[in-house]
Amino acid sequence: MPSRSAVPDGKRPTLSDLAARAGVSVPLASMVMRGAKGPSAASRERVLQAAQEIGYRPDSRARLLRSSRSHLVGVQFDLRQPFHADMVEALYAAAGAAGYQIALSALAASRSEQEAVETLLADRCEALILLSPHAPAARLAELAAQLPVVSVARRLRPLADGVDVVRAADDEGARQAVDHLVALGHRDIVHIDGGRAPGAADRRRGYKSAMKHHGLTDRVRLVPGGLTEDHGAAAARTLLTEAARPTAVLAFNDHCAIGVLDTFLRARIPVPDEISVVGFDDSHLARLAHVQLTTVGQEARQLARRAVSRAIARLEGGATDDEREVVVTPHLVIRSTTRAPCRS
């Protein structure tokens, strides 16, 4: 074994350090770390072992700077949305399978969409995938004039110039939820609304349409809500002040539904014995063992695959304009927060 090369404490090992440690040339070490053909099995094993010993990691940023292409897809997401975390995981898998990397830029209470997008542009991203963007369609069109843009989980009417859309059929998802509750025997079904959030108008429309279909137009009721647990909790507190409470609640999303469940629990209102609760998204929160929320699944993996596929098609010249909007059918996931009402 060659003698250990000196790597000063605190210094990141370089390719030269790796080559010296393995006793090979720098070009040979580079070929091994890039997975290129040519090095023998013995040389490859020696270099990889040396990399493990000295803690060498390839500098992907430096490689991107040397390349004419970055193969980097930027993803804007919201730290406050559990479904976005599920989407990010699915996007990593979809992009990796296609030979691309993901760069993330988050929205937060103190960080705007504009800041998140500008960071991705500065990182030399070749395309943008924006999760539930709030930006005006005109702004999305401006971005699409610079690079491929895919908007996920938001309907655009009309479609913004050059922007691709991948979304769930939110109205259909809400209809499935109402159909399920009506089949159980519920008639007093309240929808906690998402306000102006992406997807809210479609879910609202789907709820009203399903209630009308079942002859329950006179029982349609919207309670102001929103995206977060706090929004759900506030809506639930409103319901608790009423003498005649609904027997079922369709929340705007899972995060909102968690706020509803928590508020009912604190008020000793049993779910689903007294009130059934349905969410929307099928995020990881809904699947927690102590939650087991009945919800509408948005098919995160399929949305991610279609979004990445659309972005890459734009980059590589395989996109056609008749595929600019991809709509994925959601499906109801029945768990433990819905049952037949104990009163009608």
Side-chain angles (χ1 to χ4, degrees):
M1 170 67 69
S3 61
R4 183 181 180 88
S5 61
V7 180
D9 291 342
K11 179 190 173 194
R12 177 174 177 162
T14 66
L15 189 63
S16 295
D17 296 327
L18 173 63
R21 173 64 175 164
V24 300
S25 67
V26 171
L28 180 58
S30 176
M31 291 174 68
V32 171
M33 297 311 296
R34 288 185 286 110
K37 297 180 180 179
S40 66
S43 295
R44 192 177 301 278
E45 182 179 356
R46 189 158 68 247
V47 171
L48 293 176
Q49 178 63 32
Q52 183 177 5
E53 290 172 356
I54 68 172
Y56 175 79
R57 297 290 184 275
D59 189 340
S60 59
R61 293 281 177 170
R63 185 171 66 250
L64 291 178
L65 289 173
R66 292 192 298 268
S67 171
S68 60
R69 287 195 59 187
S70 68
H71 283 82
L72 196 61
V73 176
V75 175
Q76 171 196 285
F77 72 107
D78 193 329
L79 283 173
R80 298 158 293 186
Q81 293 305 311
F83 180 66
H84 285 193
D86 296 342
M87 279 295 303
V88 165
E89 183 176 356
L91 286 166
Y92 269 119
Y100 282 75
Q101 298 181 51
I102 290 291
L104 299 178
S105 192
L107 278 69
S110 59
R111 194 165 192 258
S112 68
E113 279 193 5
Q114 182 175 345
E115 291 175 286
V117 168
E118 287 176 352
T119 298
L120 295 173
L121 295 176
D123 280 344
R124 293 184 67 227
C125 292
E126 292 188 332
L128 296 179
I129 294 177
L130 310 178
L131 304 186
S132 307
H134 287 78
R139 171 57 180 158
L140 298 181
E142 289 176 5
L143 289 171
Q146 303 175 52
L147 74 174
V149 172
V150 182
S151 171
V152 178
R154 175 187 170 186
R155 177 197 285 266
L156 291 176
R157 285 292 182 268
L159 288 172
D161 289 345
V163 179
D164 292 294
V165 172
V166 176
R167 63 179 180 87
D170 290 290
D171 52 351
E172 170 61 21
R175 281 194 290 269
Q176 289 180 24
V178 172
D179 289 348
H180 166 64
L181 292 169
V182 170
L184 289 173
H186 293 278
R187 297 296 180 269
D188 291 314
I189 305 167
V190 165
H191 178 42
I192 298 178
D193 188 35
R196 300 182 65 181
D202 283 347
R203 296 177 196 183
R204 187 162 54 242
R205 181 169 54 252
Y207 160 76
K208 290 180 178 180
S209 172
M211 293 290 281
K212 179 179 180 180
H213 173 76
H214 292 290
L216 300 173
T217 301
D218 60 334
R219 303 200 191 191
V220 166
R221 185 178 170 203
L222 300 172
V223 175
L227 291 158
T228 69
E229 187 174 342
D230 287 343
H231 287 128
R237 286 193 294 269
T238 296
L239 296 175
L240 290 175
T241 64
E242 302 173 351
R245 297 169 186 158
T247 64
V249 172
L250 169 59
F252 171 68
N253 65 9
D254 291 347
H255 206 188
C256 178
I258 294 297
V260 173
L261 292 174
D262 181 68
T263 300
F264 286 168
L265 175 65
R266 294 173 186 272
R268 301 184 184 279
I269 304 297
V271 174
D273 293 343
E274 188 165 334
I275 301 181
S276 289
V277 177
V278 181
F280 206 112
D281 287 342
D282 195 25
S283 66
H284 60 276
L285 287 179
R287 301 188 291 271
L288 291 174
H290 67 285
V291 176
Q292 288 296 297
L293 177 68
T294 295
T295 185
V296 177
Q298 279 210 70
E299 304 287 359
R301 292 180 182 176
Q302 188 176 354
L303 290 173
R305 286 196 298 269
R306 300 299 291 270
V308 168
S309 174
R310 195 62 189 160
I312 293 175
R314 286 285 185 189
L315 287 170
E316 299 182 356
T320 58
D321 282 342
D322 60 354
E323 300 172 326
R324 283 187 55 203
E325 183 176 43
V326 175
V327 182
V328 175
T329 302
H331 73 285
L332 186 71
V333 182
I334 301 173
R335 296 195 179 96
S336 302
T337 59
T338 53
R339 57 158 290 177
C342 59
R343 52 190 170 87
S344 59

